[in-house]
Amino acid sequence: YYAYNIHKEGKDIHFSVKCEAFDEEFVLTMPGFFNVENALGVVAASVKLGIPTEYIHSGLRRARSSGRMELYGSADKNLIAVVDYAHNKLSFEKLFSSIKDEYPDYNIVSISGKKAFIRRRDLGTVAGQYAKKVYLTAEDPGYEPVEQISKEIAQYVEAQNCPYAMIEDRGEAIKAAMDEAEGKTIFLITGKNKVDVVEEICHSGDTGPA
């Protein structure tokens, strides 16, 4: 099973799959080029299980996972928010690199926080490498002070020469990031997220989840 000709058409990802059974194009309506790898596994399993190709097509078009690559946009599409429960170095790198490839004309702003001690360096380093600015905020901090967690992540962001701000309340951090954005900006909101705030800010006119 081989995926090729992977590209964007509007907000959708198109890719072709070549295998012994067929060679044809499929469409994903959720962002993230890395999701093509997941979709390819789905196609292979479906073929082995004898699922008709038309059902594979329709299933991939409707594929969604709560908290993973949820997309929201302002009416003019100058502001886009992506909500994703990235939680380790590999998922951070795939998320940031994929968004950079898919939205080359947008600045990336990261809104993040990380409770797990071993993930703080990974998050700070990757976000600092890709983002124009990083907003550090609460994400299920437990009994540990949010400020302490943010300071630990901040040292790795700073090492990448990336500016950052520490705002404890997650909703306020999201609002501040969007208020301070300049030009076309995509917000990567990772971890356990405040989706209602994203919807409220991005919703304008007839706009909703993208």
Side-chain angles (χ1 to χ4, degrees):
Y1 294 83
Y2 177 71
Y4 67 99
N5 192 25
I6 303 166
H7 63 283
K8 293 274 286 190
E9 291 188 16
K11 64 181 182 181
D12 300 335
I13 297 175
H14 290 243
F15 65 100
S16 295
V17 174
K18 184 175 184 179
C19 64
E20 189 174 330
F22 53 73
D23 184 350
E24 55 189 271
E25 186 177 77
F26 292 84
V27 178
L28 281 174
T29 58
M30 62 188 299
F33 280 138
F34 60 85
N35 279 316
V36 173
E37 297 177 40
N38 298 326
L40 186 61
V42 169
V43 171
S46 299
V47 172
K48 290 297 183 181
L49 291 170
I51 296 174
T53 307
E54 59 266 30
Y55 294 156
I56 304 175
H57 279 282
S58 62
L60 289 177
R61 282 185 175 275
R62 297 197 305 270
R64 293 289 186 278
S65 179
S66 179
R68 301 309 304 265
M69 298 305 290
E70 294 187 59
L71 191 67
Y72 302 84
S74 60
D76 58 11
K77 300 302 180 185
N78 283 331
L79 301 181
I80 296 175
V82 175
V83 177
D84 188 76
Y85 187 52
H87 64 283
N88 58 34
K89 186 177 182 180
L90 179 61
S91 59
F92 293 146
E93 289 179 338
K94 282 187 173 290
L95 172 64
F96 280 85
S97 62
S98 182
I99 290 300
K100 183 178 180 180
D101 290 340
E102 288 183 61
Y103 299 90
D105 298 331
Y106 285 73
N107 294 317
I108 295 176
V109 170
S110 173
I111 304 168
S112 312
K114 203 67 202 160
K115 177 181 178 180
F117 182 79
I118 60 174
R119 304 300 185 197
R120 296 174 191 177
R121 178 175 63 180
D122 297 338
L123 172 59
T125 300
V126 175
Q129 288 173 341
Y130 286 92
K132 182 178 180 180
K133 187 171 182 177
V134 175
Y135 290 80
L136 299 171
T137 187
E139 185 212 326
D140 189 25
Y143 295 106
E144 191 174 3
V146 174
E147 184 179 8
Q148 180 178 323
I149 297 173
S150 295
K151 284 182 177 179
E152 289 185 15
I153 301 173
Q155 64 182 313
Y156 301 109
V157 177
E158 193 171 20
Q160 303 302 317
N161 298 312
C162 179
Y164 66 89
M166 296 188 296
I167 302 174
E168 183 168 337
D169 182 85
R170 195 170 184 82
E172 291 302 317
I174 294 172
K175 289 180 180 179
M178 294 188 174
D179 288 343
E180 296 168 12
E182 297 179 355
K184 297 172 71 175
T185 303
I186 188 159
F187 305 92
L188 295 188
I189 307 174
T190 63
K192 296 181 179 179
N193 303 295
K194 201 174 182 69
V195 181
D196 56 330
V197 176
V198 178
E199 289 183 285
E200 177 185 342
I201 297 173
C202 288
H203 189 81
S204 176
D206 58 356
T207 293

